[in-house]
Amino acid sequence: MPVTRNIAAALFALTLFPSQAVAGDGNRVDLTPEIHGVIRTRYEGEWGEGHDWRQRFQVRNARVSVGGNALRQLSYYVRADICDRGSMKVLDAWARWSLPESWSVKAGQFRVPFGVDVFRGPGTYIFANRSFVGKNTANVREVGLQAGYHGSAQLPLSVEAGVFNSKPKENHDAWQKAMDFAVKATWRPGDFLVSASYLSMKPYGVRMNIVDGAAGWRSGRWIAEAEYQHKHYESVPLGATDAWSVFASYAIPLEKTIFDNLSFQGRFDSMTDNSNGRPGSTGTPEYDEPARRRITVGTMLEYLRSPLRVALRLNYEKYFYDSGVDAPVGCDDKIVAELVVKF
């Protein structure tokens, strides 16, 4: 593909820039770009009422990122999925200016400051498929401007707020009256995490306001986290959407093997009827995802010797729908086996 070749050529060209020093400053600043990537391949098998066994192989992600410094205070980042289930997507393209006292300003295309699970990437997923709060209700990248305070050792509190185009990120040309807004606060005392965030967005003419609260704990072999979201639709006869997720993971260190960890995971997540705000056949927004509940259990083998991470993951997902509701394709009982390579 011409686009693929162009991106590959651009990434190669970036690696040719040498390390340089900032003029007039004794502190050297490394301007050499860093290149990272994730390859996530999988096999899925699905079954349920009303259909026979079906299966598929996927390249779920082949993701490449380039980041570095343009000046001592100015950094940049570009990330794209070269293959996301067979298609290409530009995900992030931003520049950030670091200010004194742990402040920063960022402009470009990036994930809005909202939620916790949604910020995990393919190389750091705990489960093969994201939770409903991480994928369905408010999985949003937009174009805009964001300011943030990133805390200190004495005050482990970060606060980020931004204003963004209301149109989807694929459309940078549209002029608009309405804008989207997001704010997020995260407190990390010791092994704990507490987060609260708010997002107001209007991608298709109807404003949706979402609040999110999350709490997590990570210590030794254990990871545990809970997150809840409430989405309200303005000026349309749609009831609010509620979604939540609770999970835990326990790791066992391995000795005398090529792998470093064997871990076991369990999750329960739920979502009531959900809409992305897009007008339906009546001209007003309708629910486009039925309510569902899910239990996920899994296990994972990990190789964790920097700069590489390799994971072999196996998950089983059990879905529950209300009576009379047919499960959408791809959202029924399934097994997922994945190989993940992060570099």
Side-chain angles (χ1 to χ4, degrees):
M1 294 174 60
V3 176
T4 305
R5 290 197 297 269
N6 292 340
I7 291 179
L11 296 179
F12 175 76
L14 282 170
T15 65
L16 301 181
F17 288 118
S19 174
Q20 300 181 25
V22 175
D25 195 318
N27 297 322
R28 296 186 65 84
V29 177
D30 189 356
L31 304 184
T32 305
E34 292 188 6
I35 298 179
H36 298 284
V38 179
I39 299 173
R40 187 162 66 115
T41 63
R42 63 163 50 170
Y43 168 82
E44 290 181 288
E46 184 179 67
W47 65 94
E49 296 183 9
H51 66 85
D52 296 327
W53 167 266
R54 52 197 179 204
Q55 56 191 334
R56 65 188 178 188
F57 290 98
Q58 276 189 338
V59 177
R60 185 59 184 84
N61 298 100
R63 184 170 294 188
V64 178
S65 65
V66 178
N69 296 309
L71 300 170
R72 185 202 243 189
Q73 298 87 7
L74 183 63
S75 59
Y76 62 89
Y77 190 78
V78 179
R79 176 162 50 187
D81 256 330
I82 305 301
C83 182
D84 178 349
R85 293 164 291 185
S87 64
M88 178 179 290
K89 297 178 181 178
V90 177
L91 302 174
D92 300 289
W94 52 258
R96 179 172 59 202
W97 193 275
S98 297
L99 302 172
E101 306 298 332
S102 297
W103 288 88
S104 70
V105 176
K106 182 164 69 172
Q109 177 175 299
F110 47 90
R111 188 175 295 284
V112 303
F114 179 83
V116 172
D117 193 47
V118 70
F119 274 88
R120 292 188 172 94
T124 57
Y125 286 159
I126 297 173
F127 296 89
N129 288 313
R130 290 167 288 174
S131 66
F132 301 139
V133 297
K135 178 181 179 181
N136 299 74
T137 51
N139 179 20
V140 183
R141 278 183 167 89
E142 294 184 346
V143 183
L145 179 70
Q146 174 181 306
Y149 170 74
H150 306 289
S152 63
Q154 295 74 28
L155 181 63
L157 173 69
S158 64
V159 180
E160 299 167 304
V163 57
F164 304 89
N165 287 349
S166 60
K167 300 299 181 184
K169 70 179 188 299
E170 293 81 11
N171 185 0
H172 295 197
D173 283 336
W175 295 94
Q176 50 217 283
K177 293 182 180 180
M179 303 295 281
D180 291 356
F181 307 91
V183 60
K184 177 181 177 181
T186 306
W187 184 41
R188 297 179 181 272
D191 296 330
F192 294 90
L193 173 148
V194 179
S195 173
S197 47
Y198 173 80
L199 169 62
S200 180
M201 60 182 182
K202 193 177 181 180
Y204 303 108
V206 172
R207 185 162 293 279
M208 299 177 288
N209 302 310
I210 317 172
V211 294
D212 178 281
W217 173 69
R218 181 186 293 258
S219 180
R221 301 180 180 185
W222 284 97
I223 303 172
E225 189 174 287
E227 187 169 3
Y228 168 77
Q229 288 180 359
H230 177 81
K231 180 195 289 187
H232 173 257
Y233 307 91
E234 290 188 1
S235 305
V236 293
L238 290 180
T241 297
D242 292 291
W244 57 275
S245 171
V246 177
F247 79 82
S249 177
Y250 178 75
I252 301 173
L254 299 178
E255 298 180 359
K256 300 179 181 180
T257 73
I258 191 173
F259 292 99
D260 299 300
N261 275 340
L262 171 64
S263 59
F264 301 91
Q265 296 80 34
R267 179 181 66 192
F268 182 68
D269 59 339
S270 175
M271 178 182 71
T272 61
D273 293 332
N274 181 55
S275 173
N276 63 14
R278 192 189 300 270
S281 57
T282 62
T284 60
E286 302 172 352
Y287 292 126
D288 41 52
E289 294 179 309
R292 65 195 71 170
R293 295 157 298 282
R294 175 175 58 182
I295 294 174
T296 306
V297 294
T299 185
M300 181 165 53
L301 278 168
E302 293 179 283
Y303 176 94
L304 299 171
R305 298 166 207 178
S306 182
L308 288 176
R309 178 191 183 229
V310 179
L312 294 171
R313 180 186 291 123
L314 180 64
N315 281 183
Y316 166 69
E317 300 179 0
K318 174 64 179 177
Y319 284 77
F320 304 90
Y321 291 89
D322 294 339
S323 178
V325 175
D326 293 328
V329 175
C331 298
D332 215 336
D333 299 348
K334 64 163 65 72
I335 58 169
V336 186
E338 283 193 335
L339 170 62
V340 183
V341 179
K342 180 178 182 290
F343 60 90

